[in-house]
Amino acid sequence: ASVAQVGIRQLTRTEPFAGTILWRHQFVPEGSGTLVVESYEVLVPISSIGWFIMGTIYGLKDRRGDLRASMIASLDRLASMVEVGRVS
């Protein structure tokens, strides 16, 4: 594995009725590799219409759990890409 550029990368994402979330990816050198920390901050909460759509139409009841599962999946994809040499 290689060491990624140290620092924090940020991405803000806004979806209709779903609020705005600021995503952060922090890259910290650790031994011969890099520790990646993904986090988020809710800047604009989900509207009541958004909650209705997610809960009623999509059946999503645990937004925090869904976000956590998505974070784990994205970190796993990143790790897989590094292991096969697609990211350096």
Side-chain angles (χ1 to χ4, degrees):
S2 61
V3 177
Q5 182 179 358
V6 176
I8 298 175
R9 306 291 181 258
Q10 298 186 136
L11 167 70
T12 302
R13 183 170 176 184
T14 301
E15 303 255 347
F17 308 112
T20 301
I21 297 177
L22 171 64
W23 291 95
R24 288 186 191 90
H25 294 86
Q26 183 175 6
F27 300 90
V28 181
E30 184 174 271
S32 63
T34 303
L35 173 67
V36 180
V37 179
E38 183 177 34
S39 61
Y40 70 92
E41 177 182 350
V42 177
L43 301 177
V44 177
I46 298 171
S47 70
S48 55
I49 294 171
W51 282 116
F52 173 79
I53 291 169
M54 286 192 314
T56 305
I57 297 174
Y58 294 108
L60 303 175
K61 304 294 183 197
D62 180 10
R63 180 69 173 150
R64 185 170 288 165
D66 293 336
L67 288 172
R68 182 168 174 74
S70 178
M71 291 167 67
I72 290 169
S74 68
L75 291 172
D76 287 345
R77 283 192 304 271
L78 180 59
S80 295
M81 290 172 64
V82 170
E83 289 169 2
V84 298
R86 291 177 54 192
V87 174
S88 57

